[in-house]
């Protein structure tokens, strides 16, 4: 059995494909938001504050999100968290393209993304055992744990650098919004 054998199951394949595309967009977002933060305020602290604005709400909301995830259909929770994230990043893309975006707006969008991600993560993790049965579950989890960092931390930022270089931050943010 190969590590990718759970992909033979249609529902897991769809979930995994959606996650991979979304994580690729998230990797593009990381480059675009860094580029935008430095363009607005050429201080390393600006990017650090964006990171805190993204991470702090996610950490704070995870216990609440986990409890809600146990009581609500996970597919619905994933759908709405992706809608919220797409709208937030899409709004930031539009503001970046057509208006003079300010640093606090990056912080606000990052906080919305972190909050929505707090709901998406446990919903995704709880869906996998529902979609993959038996001995395939270990392979599905291993496959997902391999693909997640490879996509978010390697492929996405590499592509993000190319995208920002060609269509600037606004275009990269728009691409990320479309990947949700």
């Amino acid at each position: 059995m190969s590590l990718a054998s759970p992909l033979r199951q249609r529902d897991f394949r769809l979930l995994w494909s959606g996650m991979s595309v979304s994580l690729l967009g998230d990797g593009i977002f990381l480059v675009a938001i860094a580029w935008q933060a430095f363009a607005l305020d050429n201080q390393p602290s600006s990017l650090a504050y964006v990171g805190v604005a993204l991470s702090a709400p996610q950490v704070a909301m995870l216990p609440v999100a986990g409890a809600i995830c146990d009581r609500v259909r996970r597919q619905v929770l994933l759908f709405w968290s992706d809608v919220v994230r797409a709208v937030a990043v899409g709004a930031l893309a539009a503001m970046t393209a057509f208006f003079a975006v300010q640093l606090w707006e990056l912080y606000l969008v990052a906080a919305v993304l972190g909050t929505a991600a707090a709901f998406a993560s446990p919903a995704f993790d709880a869906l996998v055992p529902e979609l993959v049965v038996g001995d395939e579950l270990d392979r599905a989890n291993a496959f997902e744990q391999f693909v997640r960092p490879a996509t978010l931390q390697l492929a996405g930022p590499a592509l993000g650098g190319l995208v920002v270089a060609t269509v600037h931050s606004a275009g990269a943010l728009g691409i990320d919004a479309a990947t949700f």
Side-chain angles (χ1 to χ4, degrees), residues 114-142:
T115 302
F119 289 88
S121 293
F124 182 93
D125 291 343
L127 261 177
V128 173
E130 292 179 15
L131 302 177
V132 180
V133 293
D135 60 342
E136 291 286 308
L137 181 58
D138 288 340
R139 287 182 194 87
N141 285 329

Side-chain angles (χ1 to χ4, degrees), residues 16-55:
W16 175 82
S17 299
M19 176 207 61
S20 296
V21 170
S22 182
L23 287 173
L24 192 65
D26 291 348
I28 293 169
F29 171 83
L30 293 174
V31 174
I33 201 77
W35 192 264
Q36 191 61 45
F38 281 123
L40 294 173
D41 183 20
N42 194 18
Q43 299 293 321
S45 60
S46 300
L47 181 56
Y49 293 142
V50 171
V52 169
L54 183 65
S55 300

Side-chain angles (χ1 to χ4, degrees), residues 22 27 29 38 49 56 76 84-85 104 106 120 124 143 154-155 165 173:
S22 182
F29 171 83
F38 281 123
Y49 293 142
V76 172
V84 167
R85 293 186 292 174
W104 69 267
L106 298 184
F124 182 93
F143 187 68
L154 183 63
L173 292 167

Side-chain angles (χ1 to χ4, degrees), residues 28-29 32 86 89-94 96 163 167-180:
I28 293 169
F29 171 83
V89 175
L92 182 59
T96 302
V163 170
V167 293
H168 307 289
S169 295
L173 292 167
I175 289 170
D176 179 36
T179 65
F180 288 106

